């Protein structure tokens, strides 16, 4: 399989060696290109067969629809690849939600999420595409304080989100941030 051949030789000596390496990379939450390629292939196979569906928090689909109806431009910036983002939103338990997304960004086309320059690049790419929205008009949502700080350093508004399973956030960081536990009541200017 071409995806396994991209793994370092020492990790492809056996099926078990591949599985152990994949589990180690995932446990460390590493964004290694060969792992992402394998995951993308597996996800696509699972989604197309109907075995996989992406379940979202119950407030996500209604918020995407509401923001779109309000003529808000919704873009995604994720450490997951653009291809993976599109798969996830195509095969949700709520149906295909890709129509509500106007732009797709990842660490390949925008840069690392904890760097201010990545957010500046997104604003610049949006402007190049004819979208006249200044950095201060964008609202970035994340569960990661360092990403929030990087987006703010680039001039964006930012909202720290709290979801089950997220890493703990210090009380000090909570006080410094605009926070939400649901998109249900988030109003975008």
């Amino acid at each position: 399989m071409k995806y396994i051949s991209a793994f370092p030789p020492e990790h492809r000596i056996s099926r078990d060696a591949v599985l152990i390496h994949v589990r180690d990379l995932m446990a460390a939450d590493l964004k290694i290109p060969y792992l992402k390629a394998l995951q993308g292939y597996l996800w696509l196979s699972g989604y197309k067969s109907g075995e996989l569906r992406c379940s979202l928090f119950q407030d996500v689909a209604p918020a995407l629809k509401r923001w779109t109806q309000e003529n808000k431009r919704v873009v995604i910036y994720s450490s997951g690849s653009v291809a993976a983002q599109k798969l996830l939103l195509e095969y949700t338990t709520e149906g295909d939600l890709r129509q509500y997304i106007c732009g797709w960004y990842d660490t390949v086309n925008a840069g690392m999420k904890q760097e201010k320059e990545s957010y500046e690049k997104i604003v610049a790419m949006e402007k190049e595409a004819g979208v006249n929205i200044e950095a201060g008009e964008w609202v970035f949502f994340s569960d990661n304080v360092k990403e929030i700080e990087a987006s703010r350093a680039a001039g964006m508004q930012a909202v720290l989100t709290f979801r089950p399973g997220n890493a703990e956030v210090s009380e000090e960081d909570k006080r410094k941030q605009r926070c939400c536990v649901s998109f249900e009541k988030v109003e975008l200017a």
Side-chain angles (χ1 to χ4, degrees):
M1 168 190 264
K2 73 177 184 178
Y3 298 100
I4 301 303
S5 66
F7 279 57
E10 65 272 19
H11 297 294
R12 53 185 154 102
I13 58 174
S14 70
R15 183 176 188 267
D16 287 342
V18 170
L19 289 173
I20 289 167
H21 185 56
V22 165
R23 286 184 183 124
D24 288 346
L25 293 173
M26 289 171 52
D29 195 27
L30 296 175
K31 314 299 184 207
I32 308 296
Y34 59 83
L35 173 65
K36 291 298 179 187
L38 175 63
Q39 288 173 324
Y41 165 75
L42 295 172
W43 291 338
L44 179 60
S45 299
Y47 288 133
K48 286 192 172 188
S49 73
E51 290 181 52
L52 293 178
R53 287 286 175 259
C54 177
S55 63
L56 304 170
F57 292 106
Q58 64 183 354
D59 60 312
V60 173
L64 292 175
K65 293 172 184 176
R66 177 171 47 95
W67 292 333
T68 299
Q69 289 171 347
E70 294 172 354
N71 293 317
K72 305 299 181 197
R73 183 167 177 81
V74 179
V75 303
I76 293 182
Y77 177 29
S78 173
S79 57
S81 70
V82 167
Q85 295 169 34
K86 289 180 178 182
L87 275 177
L88 289 174
L89 287 174
E90 180 178 1
Y91 295 99
T92 76
T93 53
E94 305 294 317
D96 186 348
L97 300 176
R98 292 174 299 164
Q99 65 186 311
Y100 302 108
I101 308 302
C102 301
W104 308 86
Y105 298 96
D106 62 14
T107 56
V108 173
N109 66 9
M112 301 307 291
K113 293 183 73 185
Q114 295 182 8
E115 297 174 2
K116 169 184 95 160
E117 294 79 13
S118 301
Y119 300 88
E120 293 169 339
K121 186 174 182 180
I122 289 170
V123 172
M125 287 190 289
E126 287 287 311
K127 285 189 176 197
E128 287 172 15
V131 178
N132 192 21
I133 300 175
E134 297 300 321
E137 298 174 82
W138 287 98
V139 181
F140 176 70
F141 294 88
S142 178
D143 64 347
N144 185 302
V145 172
K146 290 182 179 178
E147 294 173 8
I148 293 289
E149 291 170 348
S151 66
R152 281 210 177 110
M156 292 180 170
Q157 301 174 57
V159 178
L160 183 62
T161 58
F162 297 98
R163 300 291 193 173
N166 285 5
E168 287 294 317
V169 175
S170 72
E171 289 303 317
E172 179 183 350
D173 281 331
K174 288 178 186 176
R175 284 190 298 275
K176 289 186 209 175
Q177 313 300 336
R178 178 179 169 195
C179 301
C180 79
V181 294
S182 169
F183 293 154
E184 192 173 52
K185 296 182 180 172
V186 172
E187 296 297 325
L188 303 177

